[in-house]
Amino acid sequence: GARGLGLYSPDDPLALLGADTLGRRVFHSSSAWVVEFYASWCGHCMQFAPTWKELAGDVEDWRPAVMLGVIDCAETTNQKICSEFKITGYPTLKFFKPFSTNPDDGIRLLHHGDGIRSLRESIISNVERSGDAWPPACPPLEAFSAAELHSFFQANSVTYLALIFEKEDSFLGREVTLDMVQFDNIAVRRVLQSNEELVRTFNVTTFPSGFLLFSNGSCNIIPVHGDSRPLYTSFLRRLPGVVRGSSVSPTVQPTAVPTTTPAPWRVVDRKKLYMADLESAIVYTLRVEAARFLFLDKERLSALKQYVAVLVKYFPGRLVVMNYLRSLDNWLRPRTNVTQSEWEEALRNKREHPYARLPETPNWVGCQGSKPEFRGFPCSLWTLFHFLTVQEALQSPRFTSPSEVLPTMRGYIHYFFGCRECADHFEGMAAESMHRVKNKDGAILWLWSRHNRVNARLAGTQSDDPRFPKIQWPPQMLCWSCQLIINGRRMWDERAILRFFKSHFSRNNVYMDYMN
Ligand code: FAD
């Protein structure tokens, strides 16, 4: 795929939004908008993308009452606008009622992992709460009343009125109503089981069931049994005279496709680490992840201070980068709260300090992926923390004191890592067993084995780059002695693992190639 397209393509029935279009399309719009804020590197976003596409296809015909969109917050050009929308984790789903005017109007939607159903239903529930801002293209969704029945065809110039009798908690009637938004000559309304008068008038005994009323006064049962939205919808769409209206455009306006070209593939040595990746992890954590918060204080600020302090202590970086981290650490240490603009100002490369510099943008080398959504930041973050656990063990005698790096990583992931489900999962592993880690070698092994657990879980899923399959690491090609075969079963030799880690994640194994 072209770089910059992220997880969605112009062929998907949704709007690909960017910094220049998000506000323009969503604010003051006569449609309700549902926007997925994602990060193309976030594994759960990759796993969620098919669901969001399925939802977009499912409610495609609800346009222009309801519009779906996506924005890739990992795109450098979109980071600022995502921060204005206060997006701190991915994916975040937000509903904007029509005529919304600012980012705070967005209402968070939750996905309950039951496919698209709960999402579709919560879109309807939110549309119903639009009040004065009712989308003009959306017919009424509230229950039909006996009083309305008497004058319905005088007040509405349609040939058909479909009534769907249903229980209070059923969404069928409202879904079919929205499915027919683009069709002329027909109205659809739901009637509640509790409406005794109408239930009696039509002699309804099963719910749901449907009746078709004609403007000439006749009435038929809709021959659909059961709770089947597609059957109701296709029956109604085939009625004579019911046609897709010309007043609404069925397609989303074309969205400009980003035209950035793919970065050239770099030849890398898998036996090496690259300083470009380690620095890029630092760039991304400080300039992007920590910069998302309007305000940093309490535990979150402590986690950040601890992270910067650990980098100062154990990261064997270039002199300019270390100078930069030291001055950031000094700046941060006494503070009890930091606003977003203070943080951005503190991070700025200052001309008066030419020997203290951090690259402006990340640059993945060993962590380059075969597509832009693969690898990159999460790969570099794992690498950075493995590297730090080893640096810590190499710098101070083995058995004296517990690891500082491991709790620092735990705090960072918990408070800042944008892939929220990843963070929750990691926190689960940490809560279960991190307290049993006694020393710095133990920290190396803990992180190695938990990372392998994550690899095992993710192998073969959407976030697995086919060019870099998730394996139990290290492979034999990197370390023969790490694996023992005992009675035909593969076992790890932890002493060999430690030896291998201390050479693989050592300063001498870090290449300075491809530095910005
Ligand atoms: P990565 O797994 O990122 O590994 C980077 C590099 O580290 C590899 O290329 C290899 O050289 C080396 N390596 C691999 N295994 C080990 C090991 N055991 N010990 C030491 N080095 C190793 N994605 C999800 O979809 N769901 C999740 O729940 C999830 N949780 C995550 C939790 C954390 C804390 C992090 C940092 C990331 C998480 N991710 C998750 C992202 C996922 O783990 C990968 O980082 C991402 O898919 C990129 O994969 P990759 O192929 O670049 O290899």
Side-chain angles (χ1 to χ4, degrees), residues 167-213:
K167 298 198 162 80
E168 277 71 1
D169 60 358
S170 163
F171 280 85
L172 175 70
R174 287 167 284 181
E175 286 168 355
V176 176
T177 304
L178 283 160
D179 285 344
M180 299 303 290
V181 157
Q182 297 183 5
F183 288 78
D184 288 345
N185 232 350
I186 183 162
V188 185
R189 300 291 298 272
R190 70 189 298 234
V191 183
L192 300 184
Q193 184 179 11
S194 57
N195 187 329
E196 286 171 17
E197 187 180 351
L198 286 176
V199 168
R200 217 177 321 108
T201 308
F202 289 87
N203 195 18
V204 182
T205 50
T206 44
F207 301 89
S209 53
F211 286 82
L212 190 65
L213 282 60

Side-chain angles (χ1 to χ4, degrees), residues 41-44 47 366-367 374-376 378-383 386 409 413 417 419 421-423 425-426 447-449 451-452 454-455 457-458 461 463-465 468-471 473 501 504-505:
W41 53 260
C42 148
H44 281 280
Q47 276 152 38
C367 281
F374 288 138
R375 312 193 75 222
C379 168
S380 70
L381 194 63
W382 278 121
T383 309
H386 287 300
M409 176 176 182
I413 299 291
F417 191 40
C419 176
E421 288 197 59
C422 303
H425 195 271
F426 188 79
L447 196 57
W448 158 72
S449 66
H451 189 173
N452 269 345
V454 175
N455 293 343
R457 189 161 48 83
L458 298 181
T461 66
S463 61
D464 202 4
D465 185 338
F468 297 88
K470 300 253 186 322
I471 50 164
W473 201 89
F501 264 62
H504 183 77
F505 291 103

Side-chain angles (χ1 to χ4, degrees), residues 305-325:
K305 286 182 185 179
Q306 202 183 336
Y307 171 63
V308 175
V310 155
L311 288 175
V312 166
K313 201 159 164 192
Y314 298 116
F315 183 66
R318 292 187 289 162
L319 183 67
V320 284
V321 170
M322 295 320 291
N323 286 341
Y324 179 98
L325 290 173

Side-chain angles (χ1 to χ4, degrees), residues 133 208 336 498 516:
T336 52
L498 274 176
N516 276 342

Side-chain angles (χ1 to χ4, degrees), residues 246-261:
S246 48
S247 51
V248 287
S249 89
T251 51
V252 185
Q253 291 155 29
T255 324
V257 177
T259 50
T260 33
T261 43

